[in-house]
Amino acid sequence: MYAIVDIETTGSQPDGNGITEIAIVLHNGTEIEGRYETLINPGYPIPPYVVHLTGITNDMVAAAPAFEDVAENIYRLLNNRIFIAHNVNFDFSFVKYHLRCAGFDWTPKKTMHA
C-alpha cells in the first residue's frame, strides 16, 4: 500500500545530479512488509559540501551499484504503492527522473509524511 522513501543525492536538481543512497520501507497500513536500502554510485565525484551534509563519501559509493543496476528492483518495490517521503517533491523528482532514465515509466500517487 505505502512506500516510505528517503534518498541522499549529489545536489538539488535531478538533471545533472545523482542519488547516492536510497532507503525504502514497505508498509501495508498496519505493519512493515519489507525494507530495502543501498548506497548508489552516482558515477561522478560527490561535492565536498554534500559529503559534509550527508556523511556519504566517494569511497563509500566506489563499489556501490549504479542506479541503473538497481532500478528494476526499486521500480518493483515502488510500483502500485503510495509514495511517502518527508520532502516528497524532492525525493519523488529524483526517483522518477532516474527511473525514467533507466527505462521505467513510474507514475505513483504521493503524499508527504510530517
Side-chain angles (χ1 to χ4, degrees):
M1 175 180 283
Y2 302 105
I4 304 159
V5 179
D6 187 39
I7 64 169
E8 299 298 341
T9 69
T10 61
S12 60
Q13 298 296 319
D15 184 18
N17 287 288
I19 296 172
T20 57
E21 183 178 31
I22 188 166
I24 302 168
V25 174
L26 304 177
H27 202 281
N28 66 15
T30 304
E31 61 188 12
I32 293 172
E33 296 179 319
R35 298 172 194 259
Y36 176 78
E37 181 179 359
T38 188
L39 290 171
I40 297 173
N41 187 329
Y44 44 85
I46 302 169
Y49 75 93
V50 174
V51 171
H52 179 73
L53 180 67
T54 66
I56 298 171
T57 67
N58 291 301
D59 287 343
M60 291 170 66
V61 299
F67 188 87
E68 295 77 21
D69 296 332
V70 294
E72 183 175 359
N73 190 38
I74 290 170
Y75 176 79
R76 184 181 51 77
L77 292 167
L78 299 179
N79 198 35
N80 296 319
R81 293 189 179 260
I82 297 171
F83 185 90
I84 300 173
H86 178 70
N87 191 352
V88 69
N89 290 329
F90 179 84
D91 291 8
F92 179 83
S93 67
F94 266 87
V95 174
K96 183 169 180 64
Y97 176 83
H98 287 282
L99 280 173
R100 186 175 59 239
C101 289
F104 295 92
D105 182 28
W106 175 64
T107 54
K109 295 179 181 177
K110 61 182 175 173
T111 188
M112 186 168 73
H113 176 69

